[in-house]
Amino acid sequence: MSVLPTSAHPFSIAAAFERLGTETAFEVLARAKALEDQGRSILNLGIGQPDFPTPEHIVDAAIKALRDGHHGYTGATGILALREAVCRDLDRRLGVRVSPEQVVIVPGGKVTMYYAISLFGQPGVEVLYPNPGFPIYESLIKFTGATPVPIPLEAQHGFAPSAAAVLERITPATRLLILNSPANPTGGVMPASEVAALAAGLAAHPHVTILSDEIYGQLIRPGHQHKSLLACPEVAERTILLDGWSKTYAMTGWRLGYGVWPRSLVATVERIAVNSHSCVNTPAQFAGIAALDGPQDCIETMRHAFDRRQQRVVAGLNALPGWQAVEPAGAFYAFPSIAGLGLDARTAQRRLLEEVGIATIAGTSFGSAGEGHIRLSCAAADATIEEALARIAAFRA
Ligand code: PLP
């Protein structure tokens, strides 16, 4: 076998890719794996994915699809039966009526994000996004050449944006407003009253399209409520809903998500899909139908577990000097302040992993406003969380 020589060829790649960011969670995952391979005991509270397996009836539906011979391409927007199942689910959960023609099935929730930001972002345009927030928002905004305009989220307000804070940042150049509730990395949930106030305020700004990332929409803690932007008549016709199966049904590795799009954008979105991935893998789409149409108790089971663990992590950290955590209202993260440790977030991330074997993510991976915080995923076994709390208690900054 011949091996190609190492190339030092001076490639000249498109400038936009120099501006593309990344998601630190995948880097931490790789480092945690490398340490494990060296025999270290690593507790993974880094990557954000449920520690539950995909429910069996969903797995069975994919196997059946393969056995039934569903091996070929589907239409670029996904099979009709799946898009219809999405419509039924939205009607049931949110009381929202959309047509299957507005639903575009994509390989993971992230893809709707990529489409929406690249459709609206370009030089001269402003895009509002939460900071701290999912890192891919800022990365893609910069990629398009648009100007990222952060909406700062603060611990004392439960990391939820107020309608006023969003509205005051809108200018004639604003084209896209990205919202994420319940939120990664903070677990913040925008109260229904603020969602309604925001929708009412946006009536005065018809030039703004909304990307509402509701991928954690069913992971809400007791006492809190999820209100969808798509359920607000003032903005429904210019809201792109991002959702999917990854978090709700423990299906991160299946790569299955969807967007609900304004009708006039669907043809363009379909063309992007045809130009990139053609369609989502067919058995995963059949699994998606089984998930939406089948028993929903798996969500309740996960929600209970995440709630219990978030409670435990917050209480456990707040009992330690230097740590301060607010109660998250949803998702499965805790986003404590580590300001009292005297370490910056990156250093805390590195030292927690290297010295006590706990994978976490620095708050700055989610934007500049995340400094002084780290994210811990509570989608890990109770025993892992207990051991992590014990190791953190022994950690000396
Ligand atoms: N949106 C948010 C806020 C997320 O946290 C994630 C995943 O971590 C995604 C979207 C992407 O989900 P998927 O894995 O389905 O692409």
Side-chain angles (χ1 to χ4, degrees), residues 108-110 113 134 137 180 184 213 215-216 246-247 255:
K110 240 180 201 175
M113 197 181 295
F134 191 56
Y137 305 141
N180 174 216
N184 179 6
D213 182 343
I215 203 148
Y216 297 98
S246 296
K247 319 287 177 175
R255 308 315 300 138

Side-chain angles (χ1 to χ4, degrees), residues 375-391:
R375 189 192 77 177
L376 297 103
S377 169
C378 301
D382 296 74
T384 304
I385 285 174
E386 288 305 327
E387 172 67 15
L389 286 170
R391 290 191 196 180

Side-chain angles (χ1 to χ4, degrees), residues 204-358:
H205 304 287
H207 62 294
V208 178
T209 300
I210 300 112
L211 169 64
S212 188
D213 182 343
E214 301 182 14
I215 203 148
Y216 297 98
Q218 295 195 67
L219 299 178
I220 284 276
R221 297 187 71 198
H224 299 275
Q225 185 198 345
H226 172 60
K227 181 161 173 69
S228 173
L229 258 293
L230 204 56
C232 299
E234 301 95 326
V235 291
E237 68 174 17
R238 56 190 159 108
T239 294
I240 301 160
L241 174 73
L242 182 162
D243 206 334
W245 287 257
S246 296
K247 319 287 177 175
T248 319
Y249 298 100
M251 293 176 71
T252 52
W254 293 71
R255 308 315 300 138
L256 188 65
Y258 67 85
V260 177
W261 292 83
R263 278 175 194 273
S264 57
L265 295 178
V266 171
T268 309
V269 171
E270 181 170 2
R271 240 180 301 142
I272 311 177
V274 170
N275 275 271
S276 53
H277 63 267
S278 295
C279 67
V280 174
N281 97 69
T282 308
Q285 294 193 49
F286 279 90
I289 299 173
L292 296 177
D293 286 350
Q296 301 296 299
D297 52 324
C298 52
I299 305 175
E300 202 51 32
T301 304
M302 285 200 294
R303 191 165 35 214
H304 271 118
F306 297 152
D307 173 51
R308 183 179 68 240
R309 296 163 184 174
Q310 280 172 311
Q311 214 171 326
R312 178 69 190 108
V313 167
V314 167
L317 292 177
N318 282 337
L320 299 175
W323 295 77
Q324 203 171 13
V326 297
E327 284 286 349
F332 44 62
Y333 305 107
F335 197 63
S337 162
I338 49 152
L341 294 182
L343 298 176
D344 65 76
R346 271 261 161 197
T347 306
Q349 172 196 296
R350 180 179 52 75
R351 288 191 51 197
L352 283 166
L353 180 56
E354 303 290 333
E355 293 175 25
V356 289
I358 305 174

